[in-house]
Amino acid sequence: MKDALKKKGMFVKKLSNQGKLFRKRWEHEFASALSVSQKKKIYMEQFLWHAFSYEKLPCLQGEQADSSVRTANKERLLFVV
């Protein structure tokens, strides 16, 4: 994955021991409207994207999502893998 991102001209940096911090910030920014009960029902403790794949939060899909990433300010994108 790292090499594929670099080939696309992206800067890749490993941030050790930052997972919990990023997860908390992500939940605060995107999923604060969901209750603890809702999060449990969609197994959000396993994967954060379940908030979108279980359609609990709105999101772009398909070509709209691809287009949005292509036109986004690349200096402000963060991919967590």
Side-chain angles (χ1 to χ4, degrees):
M1 174 74 76
K2 184 178 176 180
D3 291 335
L5 293 173
K6 282 184 174 184
K7 283 181 183 175
K8 292 184 182 237
M10 295 180 162
F11 172 75
V12 178
K13 181 177 181 179
K14 182 177 181 177
L15 300 172
S16 299
N17 303 316
Q18 298 293 311
K20 287 182 182 180
L21 172 68
F22 281 118
R23 185 179 188 89
K24 261 192 163 157
R25 287 183 64 190
W26 190 97
E27 278 196 63
H28 175 75
E29 293 297 324
F30 296 102
S32 59
L34 300 178
S35 69
V36 172
S37 159
Q38 287 174 303
K39 291 175 186 179
K40 281 187 176 194
K41 285 179 185 173
I42 62 171
Y43 309 101
M44 210 169 103
E45 73 279 358
Q46 294 175 5
F47 299 105
L48 294 173
W49 71 69
H50 282 178
F52 303 108
S53 63
Y54 279 80
E55 298 182 348
K56 298 298 179 187
L57 297 172
C59 65
L60 298 177
Q61 297 180 20
E63 181 54 37
Q64 281 185 310
D66 290 341
S67 177
S68 181
V69 170
R70 281 194 301 274
T71 60
N73 179 346
K74 302 300 187 269
E75 293 178 9
R76 305 192 112 234
L77 289 177
L78 172 66
F79 292 94
V80 179
V81 291

